[in-house]
Amino acid sequence: MRTSIATVCLSGTLEEKMHACAEAGFDGIEIFEQDLVVCPKSPDEIRRLAAKLGLSLDLYQPFRDFEGVTEEELEANLYRAEAKFQLMRALGMDMILVCSNVGTASVDDDDVAAAQLRRLGLLAEQYGIRIAYEALAWGRFVNDFEHACRIVELADLPNVGTCLDSFHILSRNWDPAGIEDIPAGKIFFVQMADAPTMSMDILSWSRHHRLFPGEGDFELAKFMGHLVRAGYAGPVSLEIFNDVFRQSDEVRTAVDGMRSLVWLEELTSLHLQQTDPQVGNYPMQLATLPKVDQPSGFNFTEVRAENTDHIQELLYQLGFAYDGRHRTKDVQLWTQGQVRLIVNEQDAQSREPFIAALGFDVENPQSAASRALQLQARAVPRRTQANEEVLQAVSAPDSTEVFLCQATPDGTSAWTQEFSRSPELPDTTTVTFDEATELITHVDHVNLAQPWQHFDEAVLFYESTLSLQRQPSTDVPSPIGLVRSQVMRTSAGEIRLALNVAPLALEEAGAPASSYPAHIAFSCTDLIAVARKALGRGLTFLPIPANYYADLQARFRLDPSMLRTLQDYNLLYDRDEHGDFLHFYTATVGNVFFEVVERRNGYEGYGAPSAPVRLAAQYQRTER
């Protein structure tokens, strides 16, 4: 599948955009007219730069408000078009996008529109240029792709065809199955865009809220399936109007866009395999990625800081055992049950504690890493010495290191053999722990803060690289604004990863998104017992206000003794149709806090009603 992207998707100058597209691996680009108009380079210089970068110049766009006009207006439009054709000759381009008329159309007659489009095609023919006619969803008389195709058919010229744009079709809920009725030779170009489901006028929706494929709600694999079955084999291009993308780093945005097309290509291939056994016989060849099953669990989590003393103290208070220091690195291992937590003081100068890495158990780490790299992830360089386990790792969009570890039937991991107890243990570990004290069993979920500009990118990353499934997002109120939370998880819940958008107030205050607290939640068999032991070791719980417990009683009519126990230990509670959920939070150290949870009788949520209480309590402690 040939890939392309419109320069309007990216920030920067035309030259910067072209370099970014080449770096991301695109085959070609669409040149958005305004980008060229403001560029100091000549068309010939742009053509030579594209050749140097290995980019084809696929489409010049947009040419607006052409057809359905008076004869006088048509003559002016043809004059304007010829100037663009001469420009395209200098650029070495042979296709122009002509949008259905929005502003100047006054004649609602298909024969007139087709005759005028034919005159444009005859003029373009003199310059070796093809016309790709596109129905805009808000076109005055032509807003339906099948209508546009009928006008193209009436124009009856070999150099006049259509451009299909997923947004213009799917935003109007048109059935894309009709694409298969279009002669393949008349589909000149295809533009792909996703979008969230929104209730607003289509023009504003289109101009500000488009997303890359896989980041919105459109069924784009099904849409692509119709294109493939129609016999289309040309470029699949991205045309995304998005305020965030046009303010973000152009290379990062281009990489995100390329990831989305690689992901879409695989989804389309899988869709066709399920619906059409003739998939291998179509002109468009679809590549697939190395198949990766969903992770079977968290292999480890890692907290990094220049000074980790307070993190070590929290782990001791929660009943974790110090399992030694790495033989060649300034790294500690703390364990309890199946939880392995790395405490790392390397490469963390002046850093407060933060969640630096997540290890996932996968069936084939090499295939998983290959898949991630093909999806434009960056490999994480890792220094190893002889006899040390080689671990595959890539960087997530928020710079969290994602390690792909070999899953084992017994849950062990070979790299733990590189740790040994040092003669002098940290002061907090003078107490030994036996099996009976291991009330914490495994990592229940991890919560990571994401910059608002790159939230959709992060969701696509985890969905495409690890096959995690996105759940419905929720908005949680906090004292500094709404927090949007998106849970990514495996089918059976072995992995639960919550991605939270850091509130804009942080950015306005000059703080990065990474300063918003993230946390690791541990699952246990008896939360009250964990809380009792932790209190005995000096743990300071996040204080919960009395008003919360009064509300609990009103909602759930808890046994008075149960309510007193919850209040005594600052524990929180929730209930759904399946069961009960008990949990508590530690104080925040740097940008990290811990949560301990107990799920009873199949409770599936995360205690969402308690989240505003937690956010308010953390805010009050921060303010103090």
Side-chain angles (χ1 to χ4, degrees):
M1 185 178 87
R2 289 196 68 249
T3 59
S4 187
I5 184 171
T7 56
V8 73
C9 301
L10 309 173
S11 66
T13 66
L14 180 56
E15 296 170 77
E16 290 169 338
K17 296 179 183 197
M18 292 173 69
H19 280 279
C21 294
E23 187 172 337
F26 283 94
D27 297 312
I29 60 171
E30 305 175 37
I31 290 186
F32 190 67
E33 184 171 71
Q34 184 177 335
D35 287 327
L36 182 68
V37 169
V38 302
C39 180
K41 285 190 175 296
S42 70
D44 182 64
E45 288 175 315
I46 293 299
R47 178 180 57 78
R48 286 190 277 115
L49 176 60
K52 178 181 176 182
L53 294 173
L55 293 171
S56 58
L57 299 179
D58 296 330
L59 185 73
Y60 188 84
Q61 63 114 330
F63 192 79
R64 302 185 189 277
D65 296 334
F66 175 77
E67 85 293 357
V69 296
T70 65
E71 181 63 27
E72 182 180 358
E73 289 172 314
L74 179 62
E75 289 296 335
N77 289 343
L78 289 170
Y79 177 85
R80 179 165 55 98
E82 187 164 19
K84 298 305 175 187
F85 296 158
Q86 292 167 352
L87 171 65
M88 290 172 64
R89 283 279 293 270
L91 286 164
M93 302 182 73
D94 68 353
M95 192 185 306
I96 188 170
L97 177 71
V98 177
C99 304
S100 62
N101 198 324
V102 172
T104 63
S106 57
V107 183
D108 185 9
D109 186 312
D110 286 1
D111 289 330
V112 170
Q116 294 180 345
L117 198 62
R118 180 178 176 84
R119 287 178 65 179
L120 180 66
L122 290 171
L123 178 61
E125 196 173 44
Q126 300 174 30
Y127 293 89
I129 288 171
R130 295 183 294 161
I131 306 297
Y133 181 56
E134 175 186 55
L136 297 183
W138 51 89
R140 178 166 294 181
F141 299 131
V142 180
N143 55 29
D144 169 357
F145 77 99
E146 291 173 303
H147 189 180
C149 288
R150 288 196 296 272
I151 293 173
V152 165
E153 185 178 6
L154 289 171
D156 193 25
L157 282 177
N159 70 324
V160 176
T162 191
C163 172
L164 299 176
D165 183 306
S166 64
F167 182 87
H168 292 301
I169 295 171
L170 299 178
S171 66
R172 294 291 298 269
N173 292 316
W174 301 119
D175 184 356
I179 290 172
E180 297 185 37
D181 298 326
I182 305 171
K186 283 298 181 180
I187 305 176
F188 281 6
F189 205 75
V190 169
Q191 294 172 322
M192 301 298 295
D194 208 336
T197 300
M198 305 182 80
S199 297
M200 64 189 310
D201 70 277
I202 294 180
L203 179 58
S204 298
W205 188 16
S206 173
R207 284 289 174 260
H208 302 285
H209 301 287
R210 295 196 194 194
L211 295 169
F212 289 132
E215 296 179 353
D217 298 320
F218 290 162
E219 292 185 291
L220 292 183
K222 185 177 179 181
F223 183 93
M224 276 290 298
H226 294 306
L227 283 167
V228 174
R229 281 193 285 262
Y232 179 73
V236 177
S237 187
L238 299 171
E239 188 193 41
I240 313 297
F241 295 91
N242 184 292
D243 298 346
V244 174
F245 293 175
R246 297 179 75 175
Q247 299 175 57
S248 303
D249 177 79
E250 67 275 8
V251 174
R252 179 171 185 158
T253 304
V255 166
D256 185 28
M258 189 64 194
R259 176 184 298 120
S260 76
L261 283 182
V262 174
W263 177 228
L264 177 61
E265 184 174 9
E266 177 176 66
L267 290 181
T268 304
S269 178
L270 295 174
H271 168 72
L272 288 170
Q273 288 173 26
Q274 294 168 0
T275 60
D276 191 343
Q278 303 300 314
V279 61
N281 298 326
Y282 292 123
M284 182 182 291
Q285 298 299 306
L286 298 170
T288 56
L289 299 166
K291 187 178 184 303
V292 175
D293 292 327
Q294 292 182 332
S296 57
F298 284 101
N299 186 278
F300 70 87
T301 55
E302 178 185 315
V303 175
R304 190 179 300 172
E306 181 178 37
N307 186 319
T308 61
D309 289 349
H310 291 307
I311 292 294
Q312 295 176 48
E313 183 178 11
L314 277 181
L315 292 173
Y316 159 72
Q317 291 165 342
L318 292 173
F320 279 77
Y322 171 74
D323 245 5
R325 186 179 296 274
H326 194 273
R327 60 177 177 242
T328 64
K329 302 177 178 70
D330 192 10
V331 175
Q332 299 174 18
L333 174 62
W334 291 72
T335 63
Q336 186 174 179
Q338 291 297 312
V339 181
R340 291 181 283 264
L341 200 147
I342 299 293
V343 177
N344 188 348
E345 293 186 347
Q346 292 192 132
D347 304 320
Q349 187 174 5
S350 301
R351 292 295 302 269
E352 292 291 323
F354 68 102
I355 298 174
L358 301 175
F360 296 93
D361 283 324
V362 297
E363 189 62 33
N364 189 323
Q366 286 72 31
S367 291
S370 175
R371 177 185 179 86
L373 292 174
Q374 290 180 56
L375 285 160
Q376 305 297 305
R378 292 184 294 107
V380 173
R382 183 172 179 271
R383 299 187 299 273
T384 57
Q385 297 188 11
N387 300 321
E388 290 183 359
E389 192 78 7
V390 177
L391 299 178
Q392 307 289 333
V394 296
S395 182
D398 66 351
S399 298
T400 300
E401 295 174 357
V402 173
F403 283 79
L404 304 160
C405 308
Q406 182 64 61
T408 59
D410 60 0
T412 60
S413 204
W415 59 263
T416 59
Q417 302 304 311
E418 298 167 18
F419 290 78
S420 59
R421 281 188 171 253
S422 54
E424 295 183 6
L425 303 181
D427 293 340
T428 57
T429 59
T430 54
V431 177
T432 59
F433 299 92
D434 57 32
E435 197 67 28
T437 65
E438 292 192 334
L439 298 169
I440 287 175
T441 57
H442 61 278
V443 173
D444 184 85
H445 63 274
V446 175
N447 186 310
L448 298 176
Q450 303 295 314
W452 63 271
Q453 304 95 322
H454 305 299
F455 178 77
D456 296 308
E457 177 187 1
V459 172
L460 177 61
F461 171 85
Y462 285 107
E463 184 174 23
S464 61
T465 58
L466 291 172
S467 300
L468 300 184
Q469 301 168 350
R470 69 179 80 182
Q471 307 300 300
S473 64
T474 58
D475 291 329
V476 180
S478 81
I480 57 174
L482 284 178
V483 177
R484 179 184 172 194
S485 182
Q486 175 75 69
V487 172
M488 311 291 295
R489 57 168 285 170
T490 54
S491 302
E494 304 95 336
I495 298 293
R496 293 181 173 96
L497 181 64
L499 305 177
N500 286 357
V501 178
L504 281 174
L506 283 177
E507 184 175 296
E508 293 168 356
S514 58
S515 65
Y516 190 68
H519 77 270
I520 302 168
F522 306 116
S523 184
C524 74
T525 56
D526 186 338
L527 187 86
I528 294 173
V530 173
R532 188 178 296 117
K533 289 177 179 292
L535 185 63
R537 298 189 185 105
L539 178 67
T540 299
F541 295 81
L542 185 69
I544 305 301
N547 290 334
Y548 169 79
Y549 296 102
D551 181 65
L552 271 189
Q553 183 64 7
R555 287 191 291 135
F556 297 118
R557 299 181 67 178
L558 296 173
D559 181 272
S561 63
M562 175 65 166
L563 188 66
R564 281 195 302 273
T565 299
L566 295 176
Q567 192 162 7
D568 287 346
Y569 290 107
N570 287 281
L571 308 183
L572 298 103
Y573 176 88
D574 191 31
R575 181 191 298 162
D576 65 11
E577 66 274 19
H578 302 292
D580 305 298
F581 186 64
L582 283 75
H583 58 135
F584 70 79
Y585 303 102
T586 70
T588 302
V589 178
N591 300 321
V592 177
F593 63 96
F594 298 118
E595 179 184 9
V596 183
V597 310
E598 180 187 349
R599 298 178 182 273
R600 296 179 177 177
N601 303 317
Y603 177 94
E604 279 294 312
Y606 302 86
S610 304
V613 180
R614 186 258 297 174
L615 290 166
Q618 289 175 327
Y619 175 79
Q620 289 165 358
R621 289 181 66 86
T622 301
E623 289 299 292
R624 287 200 298 270

